[in-house]
Amino acid sequence: MNADLEALAEAHGVATRYENWQRQETEVAPESVIGVLGMLGVDASTPESVRTALAAARERDSADRLPATIVLRNGTGRALPAPAEITCEDGEVRRVDRLPADLPLGWHRLRCRDQEVTLVVVPSELPEPPDTWGWMLQLYTLHSAGSWGMGDLGDLRDFVAGSAGAGLVVLNPLHAITPVRPVPASPYSPSSRRFANLLYLRVADTAEYRRAPGELRARVDALRPGATGDGLIDYDAVFAAKLEALELLWPLAEAVDLDRDPGLTDFARFCVLAEEHGPDWRQWPERVARPDAPAVRELRGDRVAFHVWVQDLLEEQFDAAGEAARDMPVGIVHDLAVAVDPGGADGWLLQDVLAMEARTGAPPDAFNQLGQEWGGVAWRPDRLIETGYAAYRDMLRRIFRHARGLRVDHVAGLWRLWWVPSGLGPANGTYVHYDPEAMLGILALEAYRANAVVIGEDLGTVMPVVTEGLQRTNMMGSAVLWFTRDDEGGYRPSAGYPRNALASISTHDLPTAAGFLAGEQVEVRAELGQLAGPVEQERASWRKDRDLLLDRLRAEGLLDGDDEDVVVAMHEFLARTPCRLVTASLHDVLLERRQPNLPGTFDEYPNWRIPLGPDLTGVLADPLFRRVAGILAARLPGRHPATRGQIASGSGGGSSSSA
């Protein structure tokens, strides 16, 4: 690669080489680097433009100027080029010659010479999370006498209340959809990560339904979707029924203040425009292509108020579920998708801070030899810095309003993300680097203020700095039984699991316990033509892997030759680990064979549409559900787990955790 192009890429955080899944250094093609630089507003299309852009970058870096955002860990200081004035979040003004080590946590403003920059003081680490156990719940899979075609927030409240003494419940993403059909099934391709999905609203739990006259309630009740012929979740039917029901109840709602929450009103405007012009804002008329356009700002009518009201109803039901979880050591943990649909609400509202032309994904690996393109768009690191990370902060704050914990999908994306230039294919992308001190530090600050724990999904090939960063800040990593191996490929002993981690048997993208024991993942992939090799070879590999697991369980004295209780033994194994958080999945304890999502498939497999077999009452009464709850709860005596009150009273840094 041309030396100037390589230097220009480095100046803008674009990788020109990376270590692949085989730990081999891989060169990035020049056209990939040029394409990604273009998405960052840097013209590298000709040698002359490269030289011009490089000279500008060097001038920027050599200038005696501060960056637009400074992130400082509490208890540390920093030199300044000249005397400065700090206006703290609480209004206190300090005149300083250097950034002092005793600044309070928070969002401050710094004036130095002719510059005014954002100064964020973040915790060096979070308080230690408690030792506890809980459930991993794909909420949409629940069903009950009160829910309409899929699990909802009423089911969540009732599940939490009957969760057999659990300390946390980890959910799938509940991010907002664009309120038009067709409704996407995947919770990881949201329209907005800042607002909630109306499909999870329980209509009958609203105040408007309760005070409606009997005839109106009967009309609403009649909208409940019936069972589908294939037994799968029909998101379009659920959406249509709930939207019509809410429209019937809307005249009973109290007045909505559109000035109370400008961000929410902007989201409601998007919903109204999507209903009129279609779900992808990139195809809207030019006059409404930006949220600050005059034609958009004038939207203040009844339909805008309706969509604000729907989000208010969701907030009320999140609060009710949170109240049911108030005595849990952790509580309800939400899931943060790694990116958003470029045509959705966040794509429109945040288009100035998102890389709208890039598509996130992953480089080639053993299971995806052509690489992966996930389709979502992610933050532009340069624009985050320029805008003081305001959009990132505001997203986290909205989620933490009703989350006592956050699982961050693909947490390595706080360090770097694989961007794929349009038309080049996922294998021809490259990594774009973020400032982890800012991304991780701001996450820690907002989690600390919300008294919440953070769990990073750090599975697969991740840089050591990711795991080290999570450990340093007392954020949890992920320890999945299928992946936690020793150097020879065998299953690691329970005592060898990491301390700062959430332990589980599987994830939504992997085989369930019963599915793995039966080889379901091999048979399904063979049927769909998804296997990398001959089916007999895959079956042999699975049998070897299953035998290794059984050997590990026997070595720990959890099996005596009778394999009937292997699923119980797996949970007993997890209960022995030193992990702070241990979870069981409903799919595992109910012996469900089908996994929720089969990566690499779309319509070939019913991803995200498979409900659990028993209803909520049956789940809570299931003997294996109760037995596993007892096994995991029994690990706590002698651990002296912290309560939420003890966490809340921790210092800004908290105590160091053991490795």
Side-chain angles (χ1 to χ4, degrees):
M1 183 175 295
N2 176 278
D4 284 346
L5 178 60
E6 188 167 353
L8 180 63
E10 182 180 0
H12 290 278
V14 177
T16 57
R17 59 181 58 81
Y18 67 95
E19 190 177 82
N20 70 12
W21 62 279
Q22 296 173 314
R23 301 296 186 186
Q24 297 173 341
E25 187 171 277
T26 302
E27 298 285 340
V28 179
E31 55 266 29
S32 298
V33 173
I34 292 168
V36 169
L37 282 169
M39 296 172 195
L40 292 168
V42 180
D43 183 6
S45 57
T46 66
E48 181 180 1
S49 64
V50 169
R51 289 191 293 271
T52 300
L54 181 58
R58 286 172 171 165
E59 182 179 356
R60 175 202 68 190
D61 293 341
S62 64
D64 189 17
R65 296 182 64 79
L66 296 170
T69 304
I70 296 173
V71 177
L72 190 69
R73 292 188 206 173
N74 69 317
T76 64
R78 175 171 169 167
L80 290 170
E85 179 180 275
I86 300 171
T87 303
C88 294
E89 193 175 55
D90 62 2
E92 178 191 3
V93 177
R94 297 193 192 185
R95 291 174 175 81
V96 298
D97 294 321
R98 60 177 283 116
L99 293 179
D102 64 344
L103 284 170
L105 297 177
W107 296 81
H108 315 307
R109 298 298 297 172
L110 171 68
R111 287 187 180 87
C112 185
R113 293 177 176 165
D114 61 341
Q115 281 187 271
E116 183 171 346
V117 305
T118 301
L119 172 61
V120 194
V121 181
V122 303
S124 57
E125 55 185 5
L126 292 174
E128 286 187 353
D131 280 53
T132 191
W133 69 278
W135 299 103
M136 299 180 75
L137 170 63
Q138 299 290 309
L139 180 55
Y140 64 88
T141 66
L142 285 182
H143 51 100
S144 67
S147 52
W148 288 17
M150 60 179 281
D152 61 23
L153 292 173
D155 287 330
L156 175 60
R157 178 200 61 222
D158 294 342
F159 177 79
V160 166
S163 60
L168 76 160
V169 175
V170 184
L171 302 175
N172 57 283
L174 305 184
H175 303 315
I177 59 169
T178 298
V180 296
R181 288 182 283 182
V183 177
S186 173
Y188 288 95
S189 300
S191 179
S192 174
R193 295 184 292 183
R194 299 182 299 154
F195 301 98
N197 189 339
L198 68 85
L199 296 182
Y200 289 101
L201 184 73
R202 176 167 292 190
V203 174
D205 282 355
T206 63
E208 289 77 6
Y209 176 88
R210 288 191 293 268
R211 64 171 172 259
E215 182 273 335
L216 180 54
R217 286 201 303 271
R219 289 176 63 192
V220 170
D221 293 342
L223 294 171
R224 179 178 180 174
T228 60
D230 56 11
L232 301 175
I233 295 169
D234 185 341
Y235 289 102
D236 282 349
V238 174
F239 168 73
K242 291 193 176 183
L243 185 64
E244 185 175 350
L246 290 167
E247 288 170 341
L248 288 173
L249 295 171
W250 169 231
L252 302 178
E254 297 179 355
V256 172
D257 180 3
L258 295 182
D259 297 320
R260 184 192 83 238
D261 184 342
L264 173 54
T265 299
D266 284 342
F267 171 74
R269 289 181 174 125
F270 169 85
C271 294
V272 173
L273 290 168
E275 290 174 329
E276 180 180 354
H277 299 294
D280 190 339
W281 66 271
R282 295 168 296 180
Q283 299 175 12
W284 292 356
E286 183 65 26
R287 62 185 177 83
V288 292
R290 290 189 57 85
D292 54 1
V296 173
R297 307 315 299 173
E298 293 167 3
L299 281 176
R300 294 182 60 86
D302 186 71
R303 195 63 179 177
V304 175
F306 170 80
H307 285 289
V308 170
W309 171 68
V310 171
Q311 290 296 315
D312 287 344
L313 295 178
L314 285 160
E315 285 288 330
E316 291 172 4
Q317 295 189 10
F318 278 124
D319 289 344
E323 179 63 20
R326 69 184 183 278
D327 294 329
M328 286 183 165
V330 173
I332 296 172
V333 178
H334 286 244
D335 197 343
L336 178 65
V338 68
V340 295
D341 176 2
D346 282 356
W348 181 66
L349 291 164
L350 305 176
Q351 56 189 276
D352 292 336
V353 292
L354 294 173
M356 295 305 303
E357 297 177 2
R359 296 296 176 267
T360 56
D365 60 28
F367 299 100
N368 299 277
Q369 296 180 9
L370 298 178
Q372 299 178 65
E373 186 173 333
W374 301 329
V377 294
W379 307 112
R380 270 186 61 163
D382 56 331
R383 293 284 174 80
L384 284 177
I385 295 169
E386 292 166 8
T387 57
Y389 289 85
Y392 179 56
R393 173 199 64 200
D394 294 346
M395 177 194 71
L396 293 172
R397 283 184 177 176
R398 288 191 183 273
I399 294 172
F400 281 130
R401 282 183 186 179
H402 43 71
R404 296 284 71 82
L406 185 63
R407 176 191 178 272
V408 181
D409 189 49
H410 189 61
V411 74
L414 301 182
W415 281 260
R416 65 180 188 178
L417 270 176
W418 186 259
W419 287 17
V420 181
S422 178
L424 290 186
N428 295 310
T430 190
Y431 283 110
V432 173
H433 292 265
Y434 296 79
D435 179 357
E437 286 295 310
M439 300 296 285
L440 200 65
I442 292 169
L443 174 58
L445 173 60
E446 297 305 323
Y448 175 76
R449 290 183 154 182
N451 191 26
V453 302
V454 176
I455 301 157
E457 187 271 291
D458 58 345
L459 303 174
T461 303
V462 299
M463 300 177 293
V465 69
V466 174
T467 302
E468 293 163 4
L470 294 176
Q471 290 178 347
R472 173 179 60 78
T473 52
N474 271 336
M475 296 180 184
M476 304 293 96
S478 299
V480 174
L481 177 61
W482 303 151
F483 289 158
T484 309
R485 307 297 185 106
D486 58 29
D487 292 340
E488 286 72 44
Y491 287 86
R492 189 183 300 178
S494 59
Y497 272 56
R499 177 78 172 116
N500 267 22
L502 179 144
S504 65
I505 289 174
S506 186
T507 75
H508 55 260
D509 287 334
L510 297 169
T512 65
F516 173 80
L517 293 172
E520 181 79 3
Q521 70 278 15
V522 176
E523 303 309 317
V524 170
R525 287 189 176 277
E527 182 179 338
L528 298 177
Q530 295 287 323
L531 293 179
V535 64
E536 283 305 322
Q537 178 180 323
E538 295 293 331
R539 286 188 182 122
S541 177
W542 157 68
R543 292 189 189 100
K544 178 181 178 181
D545 204 16
R546 183 191 59 182
D547 290 344
L548 287 172
L549 174 62
L550 297 178
D551 288 344
R552 168 49 53 202
L553 297 177
R554 292 188 184 103
E556 304 229 357
L558 299 173
L559 288 177
D560 57 5
D562 180 359
D563 291 349
E564 292 181 3
D565 292 325
V566 175
V567 174
V568 172
M570 289 182 194
H571 289 95
E572 290 177 329
F573 177 87
L574 290 186
R576 291 185 174 187
T577 70
C579 297
R580 293 190 184 279
L581 306 177
V582 176
T583 53
S585 165
L586 292 190
H587 284 77
D588 292 337
V589 300
L590 297 175
L591 304 180
E592 298 277 352
R593 287 197 177 189
R594 291 186 294 179
Q595 63 195 68
N597 180 54
L598 192 66
T601 64
F602 296 93
D603 294 334
E604 310 96 311
Y605 185 84
N607 295 316
W608 314 111
R609 294 185 290 132
I610 306 171
L612 292 171
D615 66 7
L616 178 56
T617 300
V619 169
L620 297 177
D622 183 84
L624 189 53
F625 173 89
R626 310 300 295 188
R627 185 176 179 186
V628 167
I631 289 169
L632 298 186
R635 73 189 294 268
L636 294 178
R639 291 288 188 96
H640 306 295
T643 65
R644 293 303 293 175
Q646 289 172 319
I647 296 173
S649 64
S651 66
S655 303
S656 297
S657 60
S658 56

